[in-house]
Amino acid sequence: MRFRAKLNVHFDGAFNVGSGTMGGSLAQRPMLTDWRGLPMVPASSFKGRLRHTCKQLAEAMGQETCDDPVAEAMCQPGEDERFCPICRLFGSPWLESPLTFTDLTLMEPAFLAEARTPPRTSLRYGVGLSRRRRVAQDQLLYTTEVFLPGGTVTLKGEISGQLDDRDLGLLVAGLENLLALGGGKTSGMGWCELEFELYRIEDDGSETLLSADDVRRRWLS
Ligand SMILES: [Zn+2]
């Protein structure tokens, strides 16, 4: 079925979706911003996080998935080879994903979304621990650029595509179980709450609101 999921992601507190590069920031983990200079979550990061959540769910329910990110351990086309649900949803080197993700961009609060000047960010200092010696090491000191809005910030995005009912059910279960986005999960940053509305796109282009409960049940039926 053709579908569209409208997403609202609420962040409460500091968050950072780092680019992993030094570009234009003092922080070693600078925050990604959109064309307005506002914090954003790129489509690729969101997709990666959702893929990870769906894979955990599928495995928890005893469904076999392949071993990413090593390409040769992933499902490959062949005589008997069938693609696992994660490859069918998110794609692989051999299979194009039927899903399109947009970036998650800031919608609320309005005063920020309409601001002419991007909001200030702060640097947060973290200390990496040596796994072996369990002590702080000077060379592991890092800085993370975080956004501290002092209230809830809502980012908006969309997933659309075409899936059969069961695969759409797994995607819905993944959306319902996604708890954190961005970097710094272990340091208490980046927790989020995700709300979504799911629509079936009919042949004439009109949209019908679907119940997430009904769709999720089809995954396990
Ligand atoms: Zn696979």
Side-chain angles (χ1 to χ4, degrees):
M1 107 175 52
R2 273 176 71 209
F3 76 96
R4 188 160 81 98
K6 290 169 150 182
L7 316 167
N8 281 314
V9 188
H10 308 290
F11 290 91
D12 229 349
F15 85 98
N16 165 288
V17 178
S19 59
T21 66
M22 295 290 287
S25 169
L26 287 170
Q28 282 157 317
R29 299 176 177 181
M31 189 175 63
L32 281 179
T33 52
D34 65 12
W35 75 99
R36 300 169 296 182
L38 294 170
M40 58 95 83
V41 177
S44 56
S45 299
F46 179 61
K47 183 179 175 183
R49 180 66 68 172
L50 186 60
R51 183 183 197 285
H52 181 73
T53 304
C54 287
K55 185 172 160 71
Q56 287 180 322
L57 287 169
E59 285 171 356
M61 299 311 294
Q63 296 183 338
E64 226 170 283
T65 64
C66 58
D67 267 331
D68 62 285
V70 187
E72 61 184 32
M74 294 179 78
C75 308
Q76 291 177 30
E79 299 232 334
D80 291 332
E81 204 68 63
R82 293 172 56 210
F83 290 100
C84 74
I86 302 305
C87 285
R88 292 202 302 270
L89 284 174
F90 299 98
S92 79
W94 291 275
L95 190 69
E96 195 182 339
S97 168
L99 303 178
T100 304
F101 288 74
T102 66
D103 295 335
L104 302 177
T105 54
L106 192 142
M107 298 307 292
E108 302 273 346
F111 79 89
L112 274 181
E114 289 154 15
R116 301 252 168 97
T117 319
R120 279 171 50 83
T121 56
S122 317
L123 294 182
R124 204 170 253 201
Y125 297 89
V127 180
L129 288 177
S130 160
R131 289 230 176 85
R132 192 166 54 84
R133 295 176 55 213
R134 308 286 293 167
V135 293
Q137 292 183 328
D138 283 350
Q139 64 268 34
L140 293 177
L141 186 70
Y142 61 85
T143 49
T144 302
E145 184 181 19
V146 295
F147 181 54
L148 289 158
T152 303
V153 166
T154 301
L155 273 61
K156 203 168 176 173
E158 197 175 292
I159 305 173
S160 56
Q162 186 148 15
L163 289 175
D164 72 27
D165 287 5
R166 293 191 61 186
D167 287 347
L168 184 58
L170 173 56
L171 186 77
V172 163
L175 288 171
E176 289 173 334
N177 284 279
L178 196 86
L179 291 176
L181 277 173
K185 189 168 86 169
T186 49
S187 55
M189 292 187 287
W191 289 97
C192 66
E193 185 191 332
L194 189 147
E195 287 177 337
F196 63 93
E197 280 175 2
L198 191 64
Y199 297 89
R200 181 174 59 221
I201 302 176
E202 313 290 356
D203 289 340
D204 63 3
S206 64
E207 298 186 357
T208 310
L209 185 65
L210 297 175
S211 148
D213 282 345
D214 290 349
V215 174
R216 187 187 350 91
R217 274 186 215 117
R218 279 176 230 153
W219 168 45
L220 298 169
S221 66

